[in-house]
Amino acid sequence: MNLNQLSQPFSLSNGQVIKNRLFKSAMSEQLGDKQHNPTFGLATLYKRWAKGGIGLSVTGNVMVDRQALGEPKNVVLDEHSNLALFSQWAEAGKQNGAQIWMQLNHPGKQIPKFLCEEPVAPSAIALGRGLEKGFNTPRALTETGIYEIISQFATSAKLAKQAGFTGVQIHGAHGYLVSQFLSSRHNQRNDQWGGSLENRLRFVVEVYRAIRKEVGDDFPVGIKLNSADFMQGGFTEEESMQVVQTLSDKGIDLIEISGGTYESPSMMGAKNNSEPLKASTIKREAYFMDYMVKVRKLVSTPLVVTGGFRTGPAMNEALNTSATDFIGIARTMAVDPEFPNKLIGNPDHGMPLTVPTTGKPGLDKMAMVGLVWYEHQMWRIAAGKKADPKLSALGVVAKTILSAGWLAFKKRRA
């Protein structure tokens, strides 16, 4: 057994080879221009990550509908996009033998009020836990509207392939539209798109089918799924496993596991705002490894687990269990783009992350410091600068207010 499994290549069923087991999970870069095309900074950022040794990068969420943005500076890929700018981004992300997949997303009702007066969703149900103050109640999609969005996903995937991206990932986690369809909490339709799990997963199956029809069998199509929503009446772990099995049977190439929604942000490290992580989770570092062990018994489709990994030994231990085929990393890459090279060169390497703070818990929460601080690190790299692990959290908040006002701290993607 190789002591450093992270350095081993992996071949997908379509023959595409990913040079190592390190997978950059999506982070929202907020680097789209006024027309929602990628800025040159995105090419700079992904070239730096490619040079840093990552095997596969997944972009931040690219929206399939320019009328449905999750954040003001989202990138959109549709028939009105400047494909040459996307090609520059793709080419940069393929440096040093890396792969770059585009994450495709529709936010559904998770659109801040200041961006959309009437978002759409499976059902006309508002977000809860106080989020209804920042997000408008959605309009329930008609069946025609559902098929239009499915077509938009397919079009964006076709264009991503044309632009030179080496794969696409459907964003089916974190409470966005695909996740909303899967959840009985948010999907209370009584037609073929709601009710039973078979009906609720129809939307994601049709999105996958439409994409596959456009890109062919040799182009990788993956998905990011919740292990659960961790909400009463929401998407359960058992349902998640059934969705994984269904998509695996239909030929999806790679499944990344995360968890939670805006209402219960488990992707940030715990099942809810008050429940601590289990000791076994802390020891293994990964937030969702317990789920991965179970799901590996059900499918042979390549799996990625994302969330919490900081050290080489924990990553190699996870790979050695065969419960996952790739290790998803994100924030460590924003602080040190060379993190993959260091892990491959030294299997004992690690990089614990401190929690950025202004020293004032109330301000940290209101300003979303745990998110915005990492965005500023990505913006530094995109501008050709080095990341700054000692970057002042208070300074980040001040700069954001000066540039965009308090509007910048409206509820955003995690």
Side-chain angles (χ1 to χ4, degrees):
M1 181 179 295
N2 192 300
L3 291 177
N4 195 354
Q5 295 290 328
L6 294 171
S7 65
Q8 298 302 296
F10 188 93
S11 296
L12 299 177
S13 60
N14 61 16
Q16 186 178 102
V17 178
I18 299 168
K19 70 176 186 177
N20 62 43
R21 305 303 183 89
L22 290 166
F23 174 105
K24 188 206 77 67
S25 188
M27 292 181 285
S28 184
E29 310 96 351
Q30 285 288 283
L31 286 169
D33 65 17
K34 291 181 179 180
Q35 288 74 43
H36 302 292
N37 289 309
T39 59
F40 186 72
L42 275 169
T44 302
L45 177 63
Y46 278 79
K47 182 177 181 179
R48 182 67 189 88
W49 279 335
K51 295 290 187 182
I54 197 69
L56 169 57
S57 282
V58 177
T59 71
N61 51 352
V62 173
M63 296 301 173
V64 302
D65 181 353
R66 63 184 55 244
Q67 303 304 316
L69 303 177
E71 301 162 285
K73 295 182 180 179
N74 278 150
V75 172
V76 176
L77 181 55
D78 62 13
E79 298 95 333
H80 305 290
S81 300
N82 185 333
L83 209 59
L85 296 176
F86 284 86
S87 295
Q88 291 177 7
W89 184 11
E91 189 61 31
K94 292 187 287 188
Q95 299 297 302
N96 197 28
Q99 303 282 342
I100 179 170
W101 293 12
M102 180 181 287
Q103 185 184 75
L104 301 176
N105 190 18
H106 189 295
K109 61 185 167 187
Q110 284 189 170
I111 305 177
K113 281 185 175 181
F114 68 93
L115 285 178
C116 182
E117 291 186 5
E118 189 181 50
V120 297
S123 302
I125 299 171
L127 290 169
R129 295 194 174 183
L131 295 179
E132 61 275 10
K133 298 176 182 178
F135 298 82
N136 286 318
T137 300
R139 168 175 57 82
L141 280 161
T142 63
E143 188 158 59
T144 297
I146 290 172
Y147 281 114
E148 287 176 352
I149 293 174
I150 291 170
S151 178
Q152 288 172 322
F153 269 98
T155 296
S156 296
K158 176 184 67 176
L159 293 172
K161 181 179 180 181
Q162 289 178 12
F165 288 85
T166 58
V168 293
Q169 183 192 63
I170 302 163
H171 196 342
H174 300 173
Y176 293 112
L177 185 62
V178 171
S179 179
Q180 289 163 30
F181 266 97
L182 290 170
S183 171
S184 56
R185 177 184 177 90
H186 297 290
N187 180 355
Q188 297 183 16
R189 302 176 69 94
N190 56 13
D191 60 5
Q192 67 170 336
W193 305 98
S196 67
L197 178 60
E198 180 182 4
N199 282 352
R200 284 184 279 123
L201 66 79
R202 190 184 306 278
F203 180 73
V204 69
V205 168
E206 292 304 320
V207 166
Y208 170 68
R209 283 176 174 164
I211 289 175
R212 183 61 78 195
K213 183 178 179 180
E214 289 291 346
V215 301
D217 293 335
D218 295 334
F219 188 74
V221 180
I223 190 165
K224 186 171 190 171
L225 282 173
N226 278 357
S227 62
D229 285 348
F230 306 113
M231 293 285 291
Q232 185 174 0
F235 189 53
T236 68
E237 182 177 290
E238 291 74 19
E239 289 177 333
S240 176
M241 290 186 184
Q242 290 181 55
V243 174
V244 167
Q245 284 185 283
T246 297
L247 292 172
S248 177
D249 291 343
K250 294 186 181 301
I252 204 153
D253 294 293
L254 190 67
I255 300 172
E256 180 187 4
I257 298 300
S258 186
T261 66
Y262 272 21
E263 295 172 301
S264 182
S266 302
M267 58 282 195
M268 304 301 287
K271 291 185 179 180
N272 55 48
N273 294 331
S274 60
E275 183 179 343
L277 295 174
K278 293 191 292 185
S280 60
T281 298
I282 295 172
K283 181 179 178 181
R284 292 189 301 188
E285 298 183 4
Y287 301 148
F288 305 108
M289 275 301 293
D290 290 342
Y291 173 93
M292 301 298 286
V293 171
K294 298 174 186 175
V295 83
R296 172 50 83 204
K297 298 175 181 178
L298 303 176
V299 301
S300 58
T301 300
L303 300 174
V304 185
V305 62
T306 297
F309 282 112
R310 302 288 182 260
T311 67
M315 296 177 190
N316 274 295
E317 181 181 351
L319 291 172
N320 287 332
T321 66
S322 298
T324 187
D325 301 290
F326 293 90
I327 301 298
I329 53 178
R331 293 184 173 192
T332 46
M333 293 280 288
V335 178
D336 183 7
E338 285 290 318
F339 190 49
N341 280 336
K342 292 175 181 178
L343 287 167
I344 290 169
N346 176 10
D348 292 323
H349 181 70
M351 192 179 73
L353 292 179
T354 57
V355 179
T357 178
T358 63
K360 301 179 184 298
L363 180 59
D364 288 351
K365 183 177 180 180
M366 179 174 60
M368 302 180 70
V369 169
L371 176 64
V372 175
W373 190 85
Y374 288 97
E375 282 183 344
H376 278 256
Q377 298 287 8
M378 289 190 285
W379 296 345
R380 288 180 62 87
I381 301 170
K385 301 177 182 179
K386 292 183 178 180
D388 181 5
K390 296 182 180 180
L391 189 65
S392 165
L394 191 59
V396 163
V397 173
K399 288 179 182 178
T400 306
I401 294 172
L402 287 173
S403 64
W406 287 104
L407 193 66
F409 300 127
K410 293 289 185 179
K411 285 292 182 181
R412 304 241 313 280
R413 177 184 186 273

